[in-house]
């Protein structure tokens, strides 16, 4: 085994950790998915439920994962096994960590394809294709379908994303990941703030604020509640091995509770800012808020085509999406790469390349799904009709919630409460709140989502 086990690495400061973990959390989920699912679910009431889910479930689950990582100081499966053994329990609980790494790997295989669309849109914006369409819905629609149905373009852009990810990770945790993230995250915040200001000035900001913050509960369905909970998991990058491996790099003396709260707040602020950047433009241009997944890649570019400085704003906007997606891709590959270093004794560089190649190979399934390749068209009924849809369903609706359920059961019921309280350094009151969440609130809520998602329960 090589000496260079990544788990010996430590973030160089608490701030570096917060930036990296926020980078992992903030991604396509915040900028692409959150605005359109909010739109589909009626706005304000959905936002409120989502915020409650982050607060009462997301933060405690994040704390639990970071705790496992830090306590085990290993890659996720090993970390869970070590914590189990420290508490006199079976090391078979390791499967929770393994499931997370697997989920992260699977998510990344389609994440790089969607991130690749955003990269393509940066180039299209710079080349003037978006402004040239002048807000013509049909032209923009054709631009999008020409991209998503062309395997060569899809392959080129997603390969670029994964190669970039591998190059950064090959340089290690502090010299690669941390350094890149500490440049990209401030850039992301600046871009987002500028775009939000632009939207406030040129768009219908009041309508957006009203849509997002005045809850109308008659518009919220039970399915919307379940989507809000599922999204809280996705957006905080929970049950994907990420928070465990980032926790393994935590310097001694870092407060798990405080940093988790900061990360969750930063992630939520970005999601809300993304909403406040997109919706004023949407409302000012008479676009339906319920436009669905095409909101970012079709509706918004239509609006950009008619707005002052549209080409520049479009370039900035999609650059921001790329940055957000890239820092999440780094995190998603990190747990697989670290696993190969720790368990297979590979050198860091080799591990990054091997993990990246695996993801790239698997991404062909998603590319084939969009490009209409025969092998990727699989009919799995409610789970989807192609490789991508099935993978998306399998991860978002099965692996992530199920992983979350096991994590809360493990931390809430399997390990000893006094050692947990001691190692987390929580006060009695805070610990009681944490404990209530991981023992009762989270597992019950997650079980409801999960059973609903797989159709055993339909509320
Ligand atoms: N949290 C990331 C986002 O919001 C995506 C992600 C999901 C990352 C699941 C890891 C695991 O885009």
């Amino acid at each position: 085994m090589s000496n260079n086990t990544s788990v010996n690495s430590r973030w160089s400061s608490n701030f570096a950790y917060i930036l990296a973990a926020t980078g992992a959390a903030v991604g396509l989920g915040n900028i692409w998915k959150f605005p359109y699912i909010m739109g589909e679910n009626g706005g304000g009431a959905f936002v409120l439920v989502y915020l409650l889910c982050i607060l009462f479930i997301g933060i405690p689950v994040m704390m639990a994962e970071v705790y496992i990582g830090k306590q085990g100081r290993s890659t996720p499966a090993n970390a869970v096994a070590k914590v189990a053994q420290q508490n006199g329990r079976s090391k078979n609980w390791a499967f929770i960590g393994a499931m997370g790494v697997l989920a992260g790997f699977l998510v990344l295989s389609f994440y790089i394809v969607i991130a690749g669309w955003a990269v393509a849109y940066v180039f299209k914006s710079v080349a003037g294709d978006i402004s040239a369409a002048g807000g013509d819905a049909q032209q923009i629609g054709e631009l999008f379908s020409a991209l998503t149905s062309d395997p060569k373009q899809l392959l080129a852009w997603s390969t670029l994303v994964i190669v970039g990810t591998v190059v950064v990770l090959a340089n290690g945790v502090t010299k690669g990941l941390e350094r890149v993230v500490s440049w990209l995250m401030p850039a992301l915040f600046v871009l987002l703030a500028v775009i939000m200001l632009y939207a406030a000035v040129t768009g219908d900001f009041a309508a957006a604020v009203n849509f997002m913050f005045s809850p109308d509960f008659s518009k919220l369905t039970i399915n919307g509640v379940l989507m809000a909970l599922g999204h809280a998991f996705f957006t905080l990058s929970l049950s994907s091995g990420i928070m465990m491996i980032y926790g393994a790099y935590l310097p001694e003396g870092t407060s798990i509770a405080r940093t988790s709260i900061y990360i969750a707040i930063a992630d939520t602020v970005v999601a809300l800012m993304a909403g406040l950047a997109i919706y004023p433009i949407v409302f000012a241009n008479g676009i339906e808020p319920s436009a669905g997944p095409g909101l970012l890649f079709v509706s918004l570019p239509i609006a950009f085509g008619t707005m002052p400085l549209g080409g520049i704003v479009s370039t900035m906007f999609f650059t921001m999406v790329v940055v957000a997606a890239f820092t999440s891709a780094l995190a998603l590959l990190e747990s697989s790469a670290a696993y190969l270093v720790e368990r297979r004794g590979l050198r860091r560089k080799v591990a990054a390349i091997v993990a990246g190649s695996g993801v790239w190979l698997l991404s062909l399934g998603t590319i084939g799904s969009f490009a209409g390749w025969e092998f990727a068209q699989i009919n799995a009924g409610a789970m989807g009709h192609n490789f991508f849809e099935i993978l998306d369903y399998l991860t978002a609706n099965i692996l992530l919630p199920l992983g979350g359920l096991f994590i809360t059961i493990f931390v809430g019921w399997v390990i000893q409460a006094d050692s947990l309280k001691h190692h987390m350094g929580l006060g009695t009151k805070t610990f009681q709140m944490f404990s209530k969440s991981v023992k009762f609130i989270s597992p019950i809520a997650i079980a409801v989502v999960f059973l609903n998602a797989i159709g055993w329960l339909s509320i």
Side-chain angles (χ1 to χ4, degrees), residues 175-195:
K175 289 204 193 102
L177 183 55
E178 186 179 308
R179 195 154 59 181
V180 168
V181 166
S182 61
W183 281 100
L184 290 182
M185 291 313 286
L188 173 75
F189 276 101
V190 171
L191 281 172
L192 186 54
V194 171
I195 296 168

Side-chain angles (χ1 to χ4, degrees), residues 209-382:
V209 170
N210 188 40
F211 177 68
M212 286 175 62
F213 298 109
S214 48
D216 174 358
F217 284 95
S218 68
K219 290 203 185 128
L220 188 68
T221 61
I222 187 70
N223 200 42
V225 174
L226 301 173
M227 277 176 84
L229 177 58
H231 187 65
F233 265 83
F234 187 84
T235 192
L236 293 177
S237 298
L238 301 177
S239 18
S240 51
I242 290 173
M243 288 303 161
M244 290 191 194
I245 191 73
Y246 277 25
Y249 303 144
L250 217 57
E252 287 304 333
T254 300
S255 158
I256 295 178
R258 198 172 313 137
T259 49
S260 299
I261 291 169
Y262 291 158
I263 295 160
I265 290 177
D267 183 76
T268 307
V269 166
V270 171
L272 296 177
M273 282 173 77
L276 289 174
I278 293 170
Y279 276 104
I281 299 176
V282 163
F283 287 125
N285 287 275
I287 296 165
E288 276 306 308
S290 56
L295 186 69
L296 206 68
F297 293 103
V298 181
S299 307
L300 212 53
I302 295 175
F304 287 145
T306 62
M307 297 178 75
L309 304 174
I312 296 173
V313 179
S314 174
T315 308
M316 284 171 67
F317 184 87
F318 287 105
T319 304
M320 172 189 75
V321 178
V322 171
V323 169
F326 189 63
T327 52
S328 296
L330 292 173
L332 283 161
L333 194 65
E334 176 60 27
S335 52
S336 305
Y339 169 88
L340 292 174
V341 172
E342 183 191 81
R343 303 296 281 269
R344 301 274 170 247
L346 298 187
R347 278 186 310 134
R348 177 87 192 177
K349 276 194 180 60
V350 180
I353 294 171
V354 171
S357 308
V359 167
W360 182 85
L361 263 185
L362 197 62
S363 76
L364 297 179
T366 294
I367 290 175
S369 305
F370 289 105
W373 291 347
E374 193 77 42
F375 85 92
Q377 313 303 318
I378 310 156
N379 191 350

Side-chain angles (χ1 to χ4, degrees), residues 91-105:
K91 61 177 203 272
N92 291 340
W93 283 100
F95 79 90
I96 301 179
M99 228 174 99
V101 177
L102 176 69
F105 187 83

Side-chain angles (χ1 to χ4, degrees), residues 19 37 51 84 91 122 132 137 142 148 152 160 256 268 280 287 322 327 338 355 360 362 403 409 422 431 454:
L19 276 189
I37 58 174
L51 292 177
K91 61 177 203 272
V122 172
E142 279 164 11
T148 51
K152 280 200 219 85
L160 190 67
I256 295 178
T268 307
I287 296 165
V322 171
T327 52
W360 182 85
L362 197 62
I409 292 175
H422 171 73
F431 183 72
I454 60 170

